[in-house]
Amino acid sequence: MNRLLSHSCIVGLILAGTANATDEPIPGTVDDSHINNIISHAEGPDTNVILDLGWDSKYISEGRSNLDKGGIYWATAAVQIDDLTLFTTVGRGDSQYYIEWNMGLEYGFELGDKLSAALGYQRIESYGDERCGDNELFATLEYTGITWLTPSLSYTYSTEAAGYFVEASLHSEWPVSDRLTLTPYVTQAFDFQYVTEAHNGPNHFQFGVEAQYQLANRLVLSGHLSRTLAQEDIKQENPDAKGSLNNTYAGLHLTFSF
């Protein structure tokens, strides 16, 4: 089984994490489902509580399928106080025994009128064929100066692996109606001893589309369809693979904030 300690656990799960009191859909953050992307630092009350329930057809992180069969359920609780967010996420396999806990904090801030950033830490504990744990430090950078295209960069460092993982992404939000927003995205990922030690460089390319629909004030239904294409890091890790190393998966999430 692949390494299960990544915090890439929820693909676009909280697209309206800091929904305000209006009926407008809140733009989300699409990426390789890293936990540091689950909270969008939107304007709103000084304190927000976010609850999310979701399911992914596969557990994909770092371009790899982490479970031998089936998908995974997710539940997240987060509290955002001004720019500081505290979160806890638990995942459970739907077809095999696997449980993962992610607990941490994130601090978001502005570097300029059109440049936002965040720094965070999380502890990961997983229970499956064996018990594992890890500490991760992460950072994100996002440019918002282009109305129809948002570039972003994320960095994750694992103390257990003594390596880091980098993702460069482009997202484009398209309002279909007052309540429905579609967001196609592309992500290029690089592994530097975060997952494997044998090769550093291109890990995988990912693309997909996310949709969010505001069911009611502060209640949002979101979904995604994603595809990963294995690159050199994954191919060298699996030289004898007989099947495709690419993955297609989907997910649904229901998010409530107050």
Side-chain angles (χ1 to χ4, degrees):
M1 183 179 294
N2 291 331
R3 180 176 181 271
L4 298 181
L5 299 180
S6 164
H7 63 264
S8 303
C9 57
I10 312 172
V11 177
L13 80 137
I14 302 187
L15 297 179
T18 53
N20 55 29
T22 71
D23 290 330
E24 296 296 322
I26 304 302
T29 301
V30 188
D31 214 319
D32 189 25
S33 56
H34 279 60
I35 192 70
N36 50 297
N37 293 319
I38 68 174
I39 302 298
S40 301
H41 292 274
E43 294 183 358
D46 292 337
T47 301
N48 290 283
V49 177
I50 302 103
L51 302 176
D52 178 90
L53 296 175
W55 171 82
D56 284 320
S57 61
K58 294 181 180 180
Y59 180 10
I60 304 296
S61 63
E62 292 78 53
R64 297 158 171 84
S65 180
N66 291 310
L67 300 179
D68 295 330
K69 59 181 179 179
I72 188 165
Y73 297 107
W74 296 106
T76 294
V79 178
Q80 186 179 38
I81 305 172
D82 294 324
D83 294 323
L84 179 65
T85 301
L86 308 176
F87 61 85
T88 298
T89 296
V90 59
R92 186 180 183 89
D94 64 10
S95 299
Q96 71 177 75
Y97 175 70
Y98 178 73
I99 298 174
E100 179 178 311
W101 285 90
N102 298 261
M103 295 162 284
L105 54 86
E106 174 185 318
Y107 178 74
F109 54 95
E110 301 297 324
L111 294 175
D113 292 340
K114 300 177 181 179
L115 194 63
S116 60
L119 298 173
Y121 160 83
Q122 74 170 358
R123 174 66 184 175
I124 303 170
E125 295 285 347
S126 64
Y127 307 84
D129 295 336
E130 57 184 23
R131 179 175 178 177
C132 302
D134 198 4
N135 299 291
E136 291 188 340
L137 303 173
F138 57 81
T140 61
L141 192 65
E142 186 176 77
Y143 179 72
T144 58
I146 306 173
T147 56
W148 61 275
L149 188 67
T150 303
S152 63
L153 188 67
S154 67
Y155 169 92
T156 304
Y157 177 80
S158 164
T159 60
E160 182 71 17
Y164 60 96
F165 200 81
V166 177
E167 293 167 298
S169 300
L170 294 172
H171 322 98
S172 183
E173 295 179 357
W174 294 89
V176 178
S177 68
D178 291 341
R179 294 181 177 270
L180 177 64
T181 300
L182 297 180
T183 306
Y185 74 96
V186 295
T187 297
Q188 174 61 56
F190 302 89
D191 177 39
F192 298 91
Q193 297 185 12
Y194 180 85
V195 184
T196 64
E197 296 184 359
H199 174 264
N200 290 328
N203 182 80
H204 76 280
F205 180 79
Q206 180 168 327
F207 61 94
V209 61
E210 295 205 5
Q212 66 168 13
Y213 185 80
Q214 186 148 359
L215 297 171
N217 187 24
R218 300 184 178 275
L219 183 63
V220 172
L221 176 67
S222 61
H224 76 91
L225 178 62
S226 302
R227 173 76 170 171
T228 66
L229 304 178
Q231 294 179 329
E232 197 62 26
D233 196 76
I234 295 177
K235 292 177 180 178
Q236 289 199 17
E237 184 186 21
N238 302 275
D240 301 322
K242 297 180 180 179
S244 174
L245 296 174
N246 304 329
N247 290 285
T248 300
Y249 63 110
L252 288 172
H253 284 267
L254 187 65
T255 307
F256 177 69
S257 63
F258 57 94

